[in-house]
Amino acid sequence: MIRHSMDIIQNNVEFLNPGQTPVVAFDQPLYALAETIQWNWPDAYGENKFVIMLGGRHVEMAAWKTLGDWLENSGWTALLVDAHAASSGKADSFLKASHDSRTSLTKIVPCFLALDHHHYARWLPVHIRDMITLEKTCSAVAREFQNGNFAVKKSLRAFSKIPVDHAHEQNNKCVKGDGGAIWLTENTSELLRWMISGPEISRMFSEFEFSQEFVGVTSRNTASLKHHEQSNAMQSRFMKDVKSLTEAFDNMSNPFIDDSGDVLNIDTKETMNGGVVTTISSIEAIGEKQYKEFVETRLEKKNVSLFETVKKNKLSRFGTSPVKETSRQMLQITSLKKDSLGPSAKNTCPQIDALILDGAAIVNLLRPIGCKTFEAYAHDVFIKYVKSRLANVSRLDIVWDGYLENSLKATTRSKRGKGIRRRVLPDTRIPKNWSTFLRDDNNKSELFAHLAQQVTSIDCSPKEVVSTYREEVLVSSQRDLSDISPCSQEEACTRMLIHALDCSKVGLKKVMIKTVDTYVLVIAVALFQKIRAEELWLEFGTGKHTRYISVHDIERALGHVKAEWLTVFHALTGCDQTSFFAGKGKITAWETWKAFEEITPSFQSLSSIPQASTILDVLPDLERFVVLLYERTSTTRSVNEARKELFTKKNRPMDALPPTSAALLQRIKRSSYQAGYVWTQSLCKDPTLPSPLE
């Protein structure tokens, strides 16, 4: 649209004044497009073909809005209203860009940058550069500008020149009239008549007004040539407003004579925080520094793209809410990370030998955008992603979930709802609702099998792609798979650790697992010594939110003993398969473990194939742990007694009480099954798992 408009303007200018270079003023969004057009098509729209300007009216409005954002809630509006210099609405408009000013552009840009108004901050330097180099690019227009012909003079009155875009807005107002174009769009014939007659009517009115001014000049009515603010009445009103404003300052305790050193709201006398004081004292220097760096790196040296994101300063202003203090919970989390986990997370990808992907998580991540069939999804989306990840490793494993009916995980999946069953064949059309499709276990099983076959058929020699295929394993090369196939592990989260162990056995000692389940970290820490890798990493998140967790560093920070029994702690205090204690999160539970180290042997007893008698033996210690979880100062060892004490003596509500002894026993059994049977046997191809129904 902008290119078409520029073509029309060029043709009209050539018709009216042959040989003249068109001068076009835009607001910021359209200016950005016009400049981009000039850079992309220099032969037709280059800087010697068009002079593109940022509209002065819009720049002034943006500048006032920026200053208004800074002064908002400073009490300035109340001061103007109290002085009767303006109504409340008009005073607010002074801070919201509804009147003009004359300001040097090079002084405005630092303000835009400092106060994070980046649209004009990005493009005003381009406009300034174009105006500085105008003598070289279009000397004829430069000479006219130097003679003062860079603005529009629609009147014979003094001081009446206005920016080009301002004149254009006035013409629009004349064309639209009081009612504008409302309702015209619903009547085609009326709209066409208005489009033809509107501009002509506007022209007639403008010529009539100009002729009346000319008549006034010829009749030597010099008063008609003065600016409207040159009248005695206007000057008297201005002086009255100045005096009223001065009196209002005095009535509000003039802040300019305050020697306390504080920054106050003029109206409420509220003392501003240190951030506002810092902003006032340093905003000019910050803006100037950013402006200088912006011009140097993006316009002169051009080692940074003009379109690169400009970092925000987020300076405190009068209207900025005070910074909230760090909550107690966040302090606890920070302390936990420092004391127990150490510096285990990083934002940059470490150098690794092998990568293991949670296939189901990747499928949920990779939406079939633009794919019509499952065959297209496999080749255009999934395999493309696999190849991109394979580029930096020697081996890539993809591990898929299995779906057993009688398992704790099946109960969790049932809560997510059911999807519509659809057969997965290469030429089957992909359903529109991908998430609903993935809620059906049969759909996922067929899709995972199809993707496993497709991905292991690619030629990636000398690298290797390994993928689970139901209980079997497929590989893109020929080698012995007896250590990992067949495998009856249900969850990819545990089966991935078998593949990590296999990588370690074949000499790939730096392994990374990409997953979305946090309990994989818990299991990996507990089994790290058995996996025998030099480095074991977990990748969480996508894009800029990706984090790489060092399992080996966490294991060393916790110590081998505590790390090995971490699975029981995690299962007991809440995970996907077990519920959480009401109102008690992992931080509170972790602090309780640190305060009650005697519970560690009980965790150890439950961590490896616990029997019913074992659970009964450790029940008293676990009850004491739960009591301390809910009330650190309690001396009782029974959860039933603790419930009675907290309810009767401390007025705790029912939902803030620990579970009963019977309920806790069932929780311990479920946690023991998950941690002591399922997770403990994560490195076994064919784990022996009793039925959860027993």
Side-chain angles (χ1 to χ4, degrees):
M1 184 182 74
I2 300 301
R3 284 181 60 189
H4 176 69
S5 300
M6 293 172 70
D7 289 336
I8 298 298
I9 292 171
Q10 190 176 44
N11 293 335
N12 288 339
V13 170
E14 181 63 26
F15 176 79
L16 295 172
N17 192 13
Q20 178 185 331
T21 302
V23 179
V24 190
F26 293 96
D27 61 3
Q28 181 273 318
L30 299 184
Y31 176 82
L33 294 175
E35 284 286 354
T36 305
I37 290 171
Q38 281 197 312
W39 298 334
N40 289 330
W41 293 278
D43 294 337
Y45 306 98
E47 295 178 351
N48 61 334
K49 304 291 185 180
F50 282 86
V51 174
I52 304 298
M53 300 173 57
L54 261 175
R57 166 70 174 175
H58 288 88
V59 172
E60 290 168 0
M61 291 173 63
W64 276 103
K65 185 178 186 304
T66 302
L67 295 176
D69 289 346
W70 185 16
L71 294 177
E72 190 172 7
N73 295 324
S74 65
W76 181 250
T77 299
L79 182 68
L80 292 175
V81 174
D82 189 67
H84 303 290
S87 64
S88 177
K90 189 173 182 180
D92 279 332
S93 74
F94 291 162
L95 304 183
K96 295 179 181 177
S98 56
H99 70 296
D100 293 336
S101 177
R102 301 291 186 267
T103 312
S104 172
L105 292 183
T106 55
K107 297 295 184 182
I108 294 176
V109 181
C111 188
F112 282 137
L113 285 166
L115 294 174
D116 300 331
H117 286 250
H118 290 158
H119 291 304
Y120 274 90
R122 187 189 309 277
W123 290 102
L124 259 178
V126 178
H127 170 71
I128 294 171
R129 182 206 61 180
D130 289 348
M131 294 300 100
I132 292 174
T133 60
L134 188 60
E135 184 66 41
K136 296 180 180 179
T137 57
C138 193
S139 58
V141 174
R143 286 193 297 271
E144 292 294 332
F145 280 7
Q146 290 168 2
N147 293 331
N149 297 324
F150 54 85
V152 176
K153 187 174 178 64
K154 297 178 62 178
S155 169
L156 295 176
R157 294 178 181 272
F159 307 106
S160 61
K161 282 190 175 183
I162 56 177
V164 177
D165 59 325
H166 194 170
H168 182 67
E169 294 291 346
Q170 288 186 352
N171 286 339
N172 283 344
K173 182 180 180 181
C174 293
V175 171
K176 292 178 181 178
D178 294 336
I182 300 174
W183 309 117
L184 289 176
T185 54
E186 298 180 4
N187 190 318
T188 305
S189 60
E190 289 291 337
L191 178 61
L192 291 174
R193 279 195 291 268
W194 176 82
M195 290 174 63
I196 295 173
S197 62
E200 285 299 308
I201 294 173
S202 174
R203 180 185 60 79
M204 292 170 60
F205 274 114
S206 298
E207 290 181 354
F208 175 76
E209 291 174 352
F210 184 80
S211 66
Q212 292 302 303
E213 284 190 355
F214 185 76
V215 170
V217 173
T218 55
S219 62
R220 296 185 180 181
N221 183 8
T222 56
S224 63
L225 295 180
K226 291 183 178 180
H227 191 272
H228 67 277
E229 292 185 359
Q230 288 181 281
S231 65
N232 292 332
M234 182 63 74
Q235 293 298 313
S236 298
R237 179 182 173 185
F238 175 74
M239 291 303 299
K240 180 182 177 181
D241 288 342
V242 171
K243 292 179 180 179
S244 298
L245 187 60
T246 304
E247 292 175 359
F249 264 118
D250 293 335
N251 294 336
M252 289 186 172
S253 300
N254 191 342
F256 296 107
I257 61 175
D258 186 289
D259 57 358
S260 65
D262 295 329
V263 176
L264 307 176
N265 181 296
I266 300 175
D267 180 28
T268 64
K269 299 301 181 291
E270 179 183 351
T271 302
M272 297 294 103
N273 58 50
V276 177
V277 178
T278 303
T279 298
I280 294 174
S281 61
S282 61
I283 185 172
E284 186 175 357
I286 292 173
E288 290 288 350
K289 180 181 178 181
Q290 277 191 293
Y291 180 38
K292 182 179 179 181
E293 180 182 354
F294 185 95
V295 173
E296 181 180 350
T297 58
R298 304 187 187 218
L299 299 181
E300 294 177 355
K301 295 182 179 179
K302 298 182 180 180
N303 50 11
V304 177
S305 170
L306 177 67
F307 300 96
E308 189 75 22
T309 302
V310 180
K311 185 178 180 181
K312 289 187 175 182
N313 296 309
K314 298 181 180 179
L315 299 178
S316 297
R317 310 171 196 177
F318 289 99
T320 303
S321 301
V323 179
K324 295 182 179 179
E325 295 184 0
T326 306
S327 65
R328 179 182 177 185
Q329 183 181 19
M330 290 305 299
L331 291 174
Q332 288 177 331
I333 293 174
T334 303
S335 175
L336 175 64
K337 289 180 178 179
K338 289 182 178 179
D339 296 343
S340 303
L341 302 183
S344 58
K346 57 189 300 186
N347 298 329
T348 56
C349 182
Q351 186 174 359
I352 55 175
D353 302 321
L355 174 63
I356 303 172
L357 303 178
D358 183 339
I362 301 302
V363 168
N364 276 279
L365 172 67
L366 302 176
R367 300 284 172 169
I369 299 175
C371 300
K372 295 184 178 180
T373 64
F374 288 106
E375 184 75 13
Y377 175 75
H379 287 87
D380 299 341
V381 177
F382 189 78
I383 292 179
K384 183 178 179 181
Y385 173 82
V386 169
K387 287 182 177 179
S388 68
R389 299 306 304 264
L390 184 62
N392 300 317
V393 295
S394 300
R395 169 176 162 178
L396 186 143
D397 291 38
I398 305 169
V399 181
W400 306 97
D401 282 322
Y403 299 99
L404 304 179
E405 292 184 2
N406 295 325
S407 68
L408 294 181
K409 193 70 174 179
T411 304
T412 304
R413 290 195 299 268
S414 65
K415 296 178 181 179
R416 300 171 184 166
K418 294 185 178 181
I420 300 174
R421 178 74 176 101
R422 177 172 297 202
R423 289 294 305 277
V424 178
L425 299 172
D427 57 350
T428 302
R429 293 186 66 85
I430 290 180
K432 294 181 179 180
N433 194 322
W434 187 245
S435 299
T436 302
F437 168 79
L438 293 177
R439 289 197 185 106
D440 187 275
D441 291 347
N442 293 321
N443 290 346
K444 288 189 285 187
S445 295
E446 291 184 0
L447 175 62
F448 296 166
H450 173 68
L451 294 176
Q453 291 175 318
Q454 295 294 322
V455 77
T456 52
S457 65
I458 63 175
D459 183 13
C460 56
S461 180
K463 298 185 178 184
E464 189 175 61
V465 174
V466 179
S467 177
T468 62
Y469 179 78
R470 299 187 175 93
E471 292 190 355
E472 304 298 324
V473 174
L474 304 177
V475 64
S476 60
S477 60
Q478 298 294 327
R479 72 176 186 87
D480 181 25
L481 300 174
S482 58
D483 287 340
I484 55 177
S485 178
C487 178
S488 61
Q489 289 279 1
E490 177 189 11
E491 297 184 50
C493 297
T494 52
R495 194 170 180 179
M496 285 191 294
L497 297 175
I498 298 177
H499 286 247
L501 175 60
D502 184 65
C503 290
S504 179
K505 288 180 179 179
V506 298
L508 303 175
K509 295 293 186 178
K510 297 181 180 180
V511 184
M512 179 184 290
I513 298 174
K514 179 173 177 58
T515 182
V516 295
D517 294 308
T518 53
Y519 67 83
V520 178
L521 173 61
V522 175
I523 306 172
V525 170
L527 299 178
F528 175 71
Q529 293 293 333
K530 297 179 181 179
I531 294 175
R532 299 194 298 274
E534 292 179 4
E535 295 181 7
L536 181 58
W537 296 87
L538 261 63
E539 178 184 332
F540 288 98
T542 59
K544 65 179 182 180
H545 302 293
T546 303
R547 296 293 181 269
Y548 303 95
I549 310 297
S550 170
V551 174
H552 47 282
D553 286 338
I554 295 176
E555 198 269 347
R556 282 194 291 267
L558 289 176
H560 176 64
V561 174
K562 211 164 193 176
E564 192 171 359
W565 322 136
L566 194 61
T567 52
V568 178
F569 167 81
H570 183 60
L572 181 66
T573 54
C575 62
D576 282 356
Q577 294 79 15
T578 61
S579 60
F580 287 78
F581 289 103
K584 304 299 176 183
K586 295 292 183 181
I587 301 299
T588 306
W590 183 265
E591 294 295 336
T592 304
W593 188 4
K594 290 171 63 177
F596 185 54
E597 293 283 354
E598 294 87 341
I599 194 63
T600 303
S602 299
F603 288 163
Q604 178 183 0
S605 300
L606 297 178
S607 65
S608 181
I609 318 296
Q611 304 300 315
S613 59
T614 306
I615 295 175
L616 294 177
D617 290 341
V618 301
L619 182 59
D621 286 339
L622 290 174
E623 285 201 33
R624 175 60 180 163
F625 173 78
V626 175
V627 169
L628 294 176
L629 181 64
Y630 280 84
E631 180 54 55
R632 190 67 60 85
T633 61
S634 177
T635 58
T636 183
R637 298 185 65 86
S638 168
V639 289
N640 288 340
E641 293 180 6
R643 285 171 59 87
K644 179 181 177 181
E645 178 183 316
L646 294 175
F647 182 74
T648 58
K649 296 182 179 181
K650 297 197 174 184
N651 297 320
R652 292 277 184 90
M654 292 297 294
D655 57 0
L657 299 178
T660 64
S661 180
L664 179 60
L665 178 60
Q666 298 304 315
R667 171 193 284 270
I668 295 171
K669 289 181 178 180
R670 189 179 182 93
S671 302
S672 300
Y673 179 88
Q674 186 63 40
Y677 284 88
V678 179
W679 290 344
T680 295
Q681 299 183 79
S682 294
L683 298 180
C684 299
K685 290 194 304 176
D686 191 18
T688 303
L689 300 177
S691 172
L693 302 177
E694 295 179 2

